[in-house]
Amino acid sequence: MNRLLGCAATAAAALALLGGTAGCGAGPDITSPRLEHAIGPTFRNLFVLQQTELHGTDNMPSPDTWANCAKGGRKSGGSGPGDDWVCLVHWPSPSGITQPIAYEVNVQPTGCYRAQGPATLVGQQRIRGADGQQHTNPLYEFDGCFDTT
Amino acid sequence: MTAVALDEPAVTRPRGGVRTVYLWELEKLTAQWRIRAVAAVCLLAPFAFVLALKTQDTVPSDTLFGRWVHDTGYAIPGVVLGFAGQWAFPLLTCVVAGDIFAAEDHHGTWQTILIRSRTRGQIFTGKVLAAATFTVVVVALAGAGSIAAGVLLVGHQPLVALDGSLVSSGRAAELAALSWLCVLPPALGFTALGVLFSIATRHSAAGVMGPVLVGLLMQLYAYVDALDVIRHALLTTPFDAWHGLMSATPYYGPLVEGCVVSAVYAVVCLAAGYVLLRRRDFTKG
């Protein structure tokens, strides 16, 4: 039994060492720059996808990949997982004016997030496409992940 | 300690012993209805899952790719991987790994196999290889099953990746296969953990359920907002490493880290297991 404990201790030490080197000098896994860097391009790609679904072709000006994320009611920044993230992205409205819209974002400790947009602007969960069929609205709610290493 | 001296005839170390043990273990495994049932479940469960999804309009939107399950079949392997992978893999792999050494205790056959002309090292290696083979087969079957279920029952439309980019059908199939390949390292890590539990506890039920419990605890930790450093060192974290591939601009950091973490777990568990087996006195019966 002593030997078993010895083995367990060795294993624990090895893991602690590994964890130490993996996270050495690094800040928190979930940070606003990381989230912004992920959600901005994802929103842009999904916007193009939605326009293609709605109109058959993508003839709207595609938005930039700008995003500004803040956690827990702050103006900007923050870190850590939680469902109190809010991200602003640039949304080209049908009138041609680009305006910032807010997505409520739930970020998991694993580095994956779910973003839910304002349905009045980006549409409901299912939308009628150019082909008359019902499609999944890519902008209503979307998932993504980013690198936490 | 007399047993160690008796069963290590260094002069007449038999050749091909590992291969014999390995093939014999595989034969024992394929003869068990329990093992066949697990293999069949891995292959068929994704089909049942897709059929259940098709009967309803709602989508499992709390899982990655969940909201696309009615739009493309390539969402299915991702959903299965995220939904069942985390807790199912430790159980599936340890059905064999947790039992393969303890079964000899259960049947009281250690003395019988140790007086054959095979060293403990050869028996250990053969059994570990057999358990690892089962893990690879199970992951391959479940991966093939979920890709086949998606493509056959939903279709092969392009997939919307995790960065919102549209992935063509052929590339989506590649990515699905690659992402299933990514769970092999942590699955093999759990195999090693199962082997350690099997040797240390000498009890099949403990060997199977021990690693599953460890897996559940690790997952629990991963979902609370605690020290990030520890999360990187958990054996369940590499099960998420495939997320990085599902993008037009893939990132491999978690995959590399996951492989290192899995390798460390495997080496530590196998070394500890081997030492325990090597020094155990089986003469007391």
Side-chain angles (χ1 to χ4, degrees), chain B residues 49-50 53-54 63-82 142-162 165-180 242 246:
Chain B
F49 174 64
V50 175
L53 280 177
K54 282 180 85 78
T63 314
L64 292 178
F65 294 109
R67 63 190 100 255
W68 299 106
V69 288
H70 295 311
D71 299 290
T72 168
Y74 293 117
I76 302 296
V79 171
V80 174
L81 207 50
S146 57
I147 294 172
V151 171
L152 294 177
L153 299 178
V154 183
H156 54 87
Q157 299 86 346
L159 175 75
V160 179
L162 289 178
S165 59
L166 209 57
V167 179
S168 68
S169 176
R171 180 72 185 137
E174 267 173 48
L175 286 180
L178 281 175
S179 55
W180 274 79
W242 59 277
M246 291 292 180

Side-chain angles (χ1 to χ4, degrees), chain A residues 3-4 7 11 15 18-19 22 28-29 42 45-46 49 81 108-110 112 114 136 141 143-149, chain B residues 62 64 67 71 160 162-164 166 200 222-223 225 228-229 231-232 240 243 251 253-254 257 261 265 268 276 279:
Chain A
R3 207 172 306 274
L4 196 62
C7 289
L15 289 179
L18 185 78
D29 280 358
T42 303
N45 290 339
L46 290 173
L49 189 69
Q108 301 280 332
T110 55
C112 288
R114 178 182 315 132
T136 302
E141 202 177 42
D143 295 303
C145 294
F146 53 88
D147 193 353
T148 56
T149 54
Chain B
D62 52 345
L64 292 178
R67 63 190 100 255
D71 299 290
V160 179
L162 289 178
D163 65 341
L166 209 57
Y223 281 96
D225 185 11
D228 289 333
V229 174
R231 190 176 309 111
H232 287 282
D240 293 328
H243 297 159
Y251 51 89
E257 192 184 84
V261 169
Y265 272 90
V268 170
L276 282 176
R279 300 193 175 173

